[in-house]
Every structure is written in structure tokens, then in C-alpha cells.
Amino acid sequence: MFDYEIWQLPVSNSNKYMHYEWCKNPIDLVDYVMVYSGKIETNDKEVDVVLERIFEKLNIDHPEDYHAASLSVSDVVCFIEDGNKRTWWYVDGI
């Protein structure tokens, strides 16, 4: 099981929906708002597989308590391990 958070930029931010390479300003977490936290059940430890499952969950099968925009480019996914170790992943285009 993975604990995770979803962070999104406000629409007014110039980096909103921008591919990482195209960002007009440096990425700074203080510009983001945490919009959701959840858990995902999986036995898979491959980060890309877990990220894909989260993407599907928040774009196709929204949890009832998820009220933010669908996961999109410029969003950040944060994995939380052992209660406090955080790993951050920028959602970029394919």
C-alpha cells in the first residue's frame, strides 16, 4: 500500500499545464496546493506502475471524496513512506 498526496497549481500560475521542460519559472512547491491525499493498494513496488494506477484512479475512477481536477500535466504526486519520508513526482506529458 502507498500513501500519496496530489498537489496542483492554481490556474493563475504560469506553469499550470506546462511540460517540465517548458516551465516559464522554476518549479517551487510553495506555489502548489495539496488537493487530495489517499492510499492505493498494490503489491507492485515499481514506481511507474503505481503512478499509472494513481493516474487511472484520479482520471477514470474518481474516489467519492476527490473533488479536484483530474490529474494532469504540472501536477505533483507525493509518495509518503514510513509516515514522513516523501518522494515527489512531476506529472509530465508523454
Side-chain angles (χ1 to χ4, degrees):
M1 178 176 339
F2 281 84
D3 292 330
Y4 66 94
E5 296 173 342
I6 303 300
W7 293 70
Q8 295 180 336
L9 289 168
V11 175
S12 61
N13 188 291
S14 64
N15 287 334
K16 183 75 172 170
Y17 304 122
M18 296 293 278
H19 292 266
Y20 187 78
E21 292 179 359
W22 301 346
C23 289
K24 296 175 182 167
N25 299 304
I27 303 298
D28 192 343
L29 193 56
V30 299
D31 296 333
Y32 282 79
V33 175
M34 200 268 288
V35 296
Y36 187 72
S37 63
K39 297 178 184 299
I40 191 155
E41 295 282 339
T42 183
N43 292 328
D44 202 316
K45 299 298 182 194
E46 294 294 321
V47 171
D48 57 339
V49 173
V50 177
L51 288 168
E52 184 65 30
R53 295 223 24 235
I54 291 171
F55 185 85
E56 289 174 4
K57 180 178 183 177
L58 299 182
N59 285 289
I60 297 170
D61 189 26
H62 288 267
E64 288 184 26
D65 62 341
Y66 186 75
H67 305 291
S70 293
L71 201 61
S72 186
V73 172
S74 79
D75 294 345
V76 173
V77 178
C78 176
F79 289 144
I80 306 163
E81 299 175 61
D82 301 324
N84 62 356
K85 180 183 174 195
R86 294 172 176 266
T87 308
W88 303 88
W89 300 93
Y90 189 87
V91 179
D92 210 349
I94 295 175

